[in-house]
């Protein structure tokens, strides 16, 4: 079975382990936030396309923090996949839900894509569109790890991989890491909007380090 997200990218996301969601309100915070994450050992971001500052921030991070593995989130509008494919440094994209048109556009543009799923029907739509790496969203809102284990069971033989987001925290991260079908986890708590606004780069690094250490305590160092 093919995958809308090539194996080498899946491996790279798995090595990163923890993905920091960045919703950037002021583009001047993009580079310091990315540097603070790297300082704490977080090497992958999901930069959410939810603010006017998001697209300019992609170029800033790609240009000034080239070690950062850049994923783009909240890809929900026609035309965004083609636009992102042209942005230097964008490695993959995700969406909160699954929209066949958006997935097809990503495939046509050659943009590695992991759609969001929250039900067995979503998973089957994803499979039919050629997606094997899936964002599980909103993870905790849907019932957390138990729910994920239940919906994955009929598809376990297909080797689907999940990136849970939505309510992931320092308290539940280790449990998610223990489930082999989890490729990586992500969340906004590491570099949330309040920390960016306060320019509290030390706290972002601290949270990044703690999250990465928790992940590695289960999965080992990549
Ligand atoms: C996302 O875009 O994936 C979510 O905003 C992440 O959820 P969280 O804010 O609960 O971490």
């Amino acid at each position: 079975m093919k995958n809308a997200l090539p194996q080498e990218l899946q491996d790279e996301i798995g090595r990163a382990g923890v993905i920091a969601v960045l919703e950037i309100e002021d583009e001047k915070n993009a580079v310091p936030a990315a540097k603070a994450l790297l300082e704490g050992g977080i090497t992958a971001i999901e930069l959410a396309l939810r603010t006017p500052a998001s697209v300019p921030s992609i170029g800033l991070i790609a240009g000034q923090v080239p070690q950062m593995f850049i994923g783009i989130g909240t890809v929900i509008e026609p035309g965004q996949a083609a636009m992102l494919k042209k942005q230097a440094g964008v490695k993959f994209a995700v969406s909160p839900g699954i929209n066949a048109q958006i997935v097809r556009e990503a495939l046509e543009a050659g943009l590695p894509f992991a759609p969001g799923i929250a039900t067995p029907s979503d998973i089957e739509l994803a499979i039919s569109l050629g997606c094997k790496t899936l964002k599980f969203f909103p993870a905790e809102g849907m019932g957390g790890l138990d729910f994920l284990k239940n919906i994955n069971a009929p598809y376990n033989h297909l080797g689907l991989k999940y990136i849970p987001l939505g309510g992931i925290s320092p308290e539940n991260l280790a449990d998610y890491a223990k489930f082999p079908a989890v490729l990586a986890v992500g969340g906004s708590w590491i570099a949330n909007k309040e920390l960016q606004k306060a320019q509290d780069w030390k706290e972002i690094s601290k949270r990044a380090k703690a999250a990465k250490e928790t992940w590695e305590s289960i999965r080992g160092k990549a």
Side-chain angles (χ1 to χ4, degrees):
M1 195 172 121
K2 64 180 175 133
N3 187 1
L5 197 123
Q7 187 62 44
E8 60 272 21
L9 275 180
Q10 184 169 285
D11 293 346
E12 184 82 36
I13 294 170
R15 278 193 293 274
V18 182
I19 300 171
V21 171
L22 275 186
E23 191 173 337
I24 298 173
E25 287 185 326
D26 185 340
E27 63 193 68
K28 77 171 187 304
N29 290 332
V31 167
K35 284 185 174 166
L37 289 167
L38 263 189
E39 175 79 28
I42 297 252
T43 53
I45 54 171
E46 178 196 314
L47 201 164
L49 287 190
R50 290 182 212 148
T51 60
S54 57
V55 174
S57 295
I58 300 171
L60 291 169
I61 295 173
Q64 296 178 51
V65 197
Q67 309 94 311
M68 187 54 85
F69 195 73
I70 303 176
I72 305 297
T74 325
V75 178
I76 55 172
E77 286 172 27
Q80 285 179 328
M83 177 275 288
L84 290 170
K85 182 63 189 174
K86 293 190 199 121
Q87 298 277 334
V90 172
K91 298 295 197 311
F92 68 103
V94 303
S95 52
I98 180 158
N99 174 329
Q101 184 189 345
I102 303 291
V103 174
R104 287 197 190 99
E105 282 191 16
L107 289 168
E108 272 162 33
L111 177 72
F113 201 78
I117 61 90
T119 67
S121 300
D122 292 344
I123 293 176
E124 289 181 28
L125 178 58
I127 293 167
S128 74
L129 291 166
C131 303
K132 271 182 87 176
T133 312
L134 309 170
K135 170 170 172 168
F136 170 41
F137 179 83
E140 284 294 296
M142 290 304 294
L145 185 59
D146 278 350
F147 180 82
L148 178 60
K149 286 179 177 169
N150 276 285
I151 52 165
N152 178 59
Y155 315 106
N156 200 32
H157 63 290
L158 298 176
L160 305 177
K161 292 285 179 189
Y162 302 91
I163 308 171
L165 286 114
I168 309 301
S169 68
E171 287 72 40
N172 59 26
L173 198 164
D175 289 335
Y176 281 97
K178 285 176 192 154
F179 186 42
V182 167
L183 175 67
V185 296
S188 63
W189 87 94
I190 306 165
N192 64 28
K193 286 187 280 186
E194 291 70 31
L195 292 172
Q196 291 178 45
K197 200 166 176 196
Q199 304 201 320
D200 195 344
W201 316 125
K202 277 209 168 84
E203 178 65 18
I204 291 177
S205 292
K206 198 174 136 196
R207 292 186 185 194
K209 188 164 183 276
K212 194 64 190 272
E213 279 175 3
T214 303
W215 176 265
E216 288 177 344
S217 72
I218 308 295
R219 296 285 179 109
K221 281 194 196 296

